[in-house]
Amino acid sequence: MFFRYFCLIVLSLIFDFCIAQEKEITVPSSLAFSGGTEYGNFFRTNDPLKSYQRSDYMGYSFQVLKQTNGKKDWEKAYNYPQYGIGFFAFDFLKNKEMGSPFGIYGIYNGKLKQWGKLKWYHSVNFGISFNSNPFDEDHGYYNTSVGSKTNMFISLGTGMYYELGKHFDLGLNLKFNHLSNGSLKFPNKGLNTYAPQLSLVYYPERAVSHVRDTVFVDHKRYNTLEFSVFGGRKNIFYRGGQRDELRKRYDGFNYSVYGAEAFYMRQYSPKSAYGIGIGVTHDEQYNHTMYISDSTLYQKKRFSNDRLLFSVIPTYRLMIGKLYVNIGAGYYIFKKERKYDSPAFFQKIGLHYQITDRLFASFGINAYDLHIADYLEWRLGYTFSKKERR
């Protein structure tokens, strides 16, 4: 579930990439402060949620935003977006047993169109939430939406803003929110909400715009050779017969995943690159199997010696300044599949940040079947070769 909504972030960024054109340039950049409230419902996506009589909730947010001014090339290429940090809190009203999630997230707001004082924005928020009430049969809580108190938070939105005067904008947005843990803890069906949101934005100093006829073009293109190492964890539960009975007594097993990958990337525009990678992965789950004996759940080694997974990964990259979005579809070329195994074909989406011109870090998701998160991966890498194309 988590992978599906992480994909929506990427689609939203690509949508902004496709339609944003430079038509104006702003003078001094400034901070802005936004407060919002939303009243909506959660989707009844599993049986426990369907049993609730009411599905409404309240949400509250506060954001600190930075309005870009075109000082950096990527700001011009993406039509002077806003970015910043936000805080949120959920109140599930009549369903207090679901907990009271709150958290912090990063923000990207892209302006799609403006008609005088009326502006159309879309937003992508990504962060972490705390204080959810997880599935816990020992304490009589059977909601399988989330299995952990700490979860990833994704929010997508689009809406209209109207300039009330020199310092204020009034906004009306349509929001979609998602909470899940990316298979770090079983169960992980995910919790999804939707709502209209009313917000008020305060600009201590509003940026002034003027139209410019020329379009910014960056002619620099690079070919890069990159190497990185990664690691992650996942919580896996038995998938065979007697699963429901065993779930009452066991939490599943935790497995580590780690490996290394090398990529060759070719930049073909100021915003995009493509390439191919090869990787080697050690997956503890692949090297173990679960079985039942006398109604007891066990695990054992699957092979006499641990086996590595070798992969080939074609990849697309969306470039937003020092932040990249990497989208890949790979295949484990020698993987021996068994019943209930994840397939050899997998998908990857990651947020990649260039710490320096050579050193980078990344956080992403490895998934299968285009919507099921297998594990979250943390990555550190180095660019060995960066050559400008002529």
Side-chain angles (χ1 to χ4, degrees), residues 185-212:
K185 184 67 176 177
F186 175 86
N188 186 47
K189 293 182 180 295
L191 179 64
N192 309 299
T193 71
Y194 65 96
Q197 181 200 59
L198 187 66
S199 62
L200 186 66
V201 186
Y202 171 65
Y203 294 89
E205 179 184 2
R206 189 184 292 276
V208 179
S209 304
H210 65 84
V211 176
R212 193 174 84 170

Side-chain angles (χ1 to χ4, degrees), residues 68-110:
T68 59
N69 65 355
K71 182 178 180 180
K72 299 178 181 179
D73 291 342
W74 74 268
E75 298 172 357
K76 302 175 185 178
Y78 283 88
N79 200 21
Y80 312 99
Q82 298 172 339
Y83 62 91
I85 190 170
F87 308 88
F88 74 91
F90 285 137
D91 182 355
F92 286 105
L93 302 174
K94 297 297 183 179
N95 300 311
K96 298 295 186 181
E97 68 274 15
M98 295 176 65
S100 300
F102 63 88
I104 185 171
Y105 57 92
I107 303 164
Y108 174 87
N109 292 337

Side-chain angles (χ1 to χ4, degrees), residues 234 236-239 255 283-291 298-303 307 309 334-344:
K234 56 184 174 180
I236 302 297
F237 192 74
Y238 177 72
R239 295 173 180 172
Y255 295 109
D283 186 337
E284 286 186 346
Q285 180 199 358
Y286 178 66
N287 284 284
H288 287 79
T289 187
M290 300 180 199
Y291 68 97
Y298 298 94
Q299 66 169 338
K300 65 179 181 180
K301 291 295 292 290
R302 181 184 178 192
F303 309 109
R307 298 189 181 182
L309 295 171
F334 302 121
K335 185 175 184 178
K336 293 184 177 181
E337 295 184 43
R338 58 191 164 175
K339 190 175 182 180
Y340 304 119
D341 259 353
S342 56

